[in-house]
Structures are given as C-alpha cells and as structure tokens.
Amino acid sequence: AQKVTQAQTEISVVEKEDVTLDCVYETRDTTYYLFWYKQPPSGELVFLIRRNSFDEQNEISGRYSWNFQKSTSSFNFTITASQVVDSAVYFCALARGNLIFGKGTKLSVKP
Amino acid sequence: ETGVTQTPRHLVMGMTNKKSLKCEQHLGHNAMYWYKQSAKKPLELMFVYSLEERVENNSVPSRFSPECPNSSHLFLHLHTLQPEDSALYLCASSQVAGTATANTGELFFGEGSRLTVL
C-alpha cells in the first residue's frame, strides 16, 4: 500500500525562524515520485517540487530546501528565514501514477 | 490568474437540490481531475479524465456524476447530497494522466469550490 504521513498537523513560528516540515512515505515501488505542494488561503494548490526515487540529491531553491532520504523514507521540507507569506497548508505527495497526498501541515508564520 | 478556473467558488445546497460544479483549464492539458478536500483528511482523488474519457473512478457514490465534454472542461453534477459531502472540491489538470509519467509531474489546481450541504 502507498501512504504519506505528515505527522505535524500545525506549526507556528515567528518570522525569520527556520522551520522544517516532515514527510514520511510508504511504498513498495522502486520507481516513484515525491512532491510538495503549497495551499495558500485562496485554495489552489501550488506545485513546489517533484523528485524521482533515483535522485537523492538535496535541492535548494531560494529559502526552500528539500532533504530526500530513501533510507528513512522521508522527504522533508525546510523553509529558511520564514516570512508571513509562507503561511499556508503544505502537502507532501507520492505518485507512481496519480498523486496520494498526506493530510497536510498548516504553517502559521507570525510577524 | 490561474490556468484552471472553477465556478462557483461557494455553493450552498439542500439535500434534495441538483447543482453542478464547473472547471475550465486554459493550459492545453489532456487530463483533468476532481479531488475532494475535507477537514482533517487527505485530499481524495475522485475522478480522472484523460482525453475526455474517464480513466479512474475511486469508488465515488453515484450522487456525484462527472462529465467531460472536451479536454478543457470538466463538470461535477451533484444530486441528493448528504451533509458529509460538504467539502472543498478541487479541479486539477496535467499534460497527461498519471502525473508521474508527465514531463514535469505537475498538477495545476483551481482555487476550488466550497460546497456546503444543509
């Protein structure tokens, strides 16, 4: 069975703090893809990153970075120097076809 | 402006009403999806259409009836719904069905239709 677990339901930080959102996945497939999406209050999910199971290199994009570790089946997302505009619900997802989403982590960044 | 537009943004209906949700994508994609987002639950994939043919129906009750007249439009017809059907219904599109096989693996989502069933 395929499953995505985001154990953190809600996180609250103060602006400029670093924050890491955890994602643990389960799959028996050797080829799969992992995603992170952001859902701001407006509702639409915004694609952030896609990673395939053969590429364990960490990725950095501005203040965002992702740590993919197959050994622990984790794909964690770190926001450095958080800003109020980062406040949203963040979803981790697994795919070998259609997407299976975690329940999401609501991040609140306070000024 | 999002490439995927959903109307209405908010809908309140009684259990005996019949209404429809509409989704339109302006991205030239070939696959469209309906997802249901309930409080404290993961997003649930409801239907997948590829080139206007339904390729997936995830055990969705028959009171939800999708329609895809062309690759740019997707409808979700609602009738005799239950209060537990209240949720945010999200439409998405991708270049091909099965996002893992697409070039970018990216789904483009609309802003959703917030449905309340009384």
Side-chain angles (χ1 to χ4, degrees), chain A residues 4 9 32-33 35 37 39 41-50 89 91 94-104, chain B residues 2 9 33 35 37 40-43 45 48 56 88 90 97-112:
Chain A
V4 175
T9 307
Y32 52 89
Y33 295 81
F35 299 77
Y37 279 82
Q39 186 179 36
S42 54
E44 82 280 16
L45 274 79
V46 178
F47 169 87
L48 295 178
I49 190 171
R50 171 185 187 252
V89 181
F91 291 92
L94 168 70
R96 191 184 176 275
N98 294 312
L99 288 174
I100 298 168
F101 286 89
K103 291 187 180 181
Chain B
T2 178
R9 293 294 311 280
Y33 309 74
Y35 279 87
Q37 185 177 23
K40 300 182 181 179
K41 285 187 178 179
L43 275 85
L45 178 63
V48 181
E56 189 154 342
L88 180 67
L90 289 160
T99 58
T101 60
N103 288 339
T104 64
E106 181 177 354
L107 283 181
F108 290 80
F109 284 84
E111 293 182 319

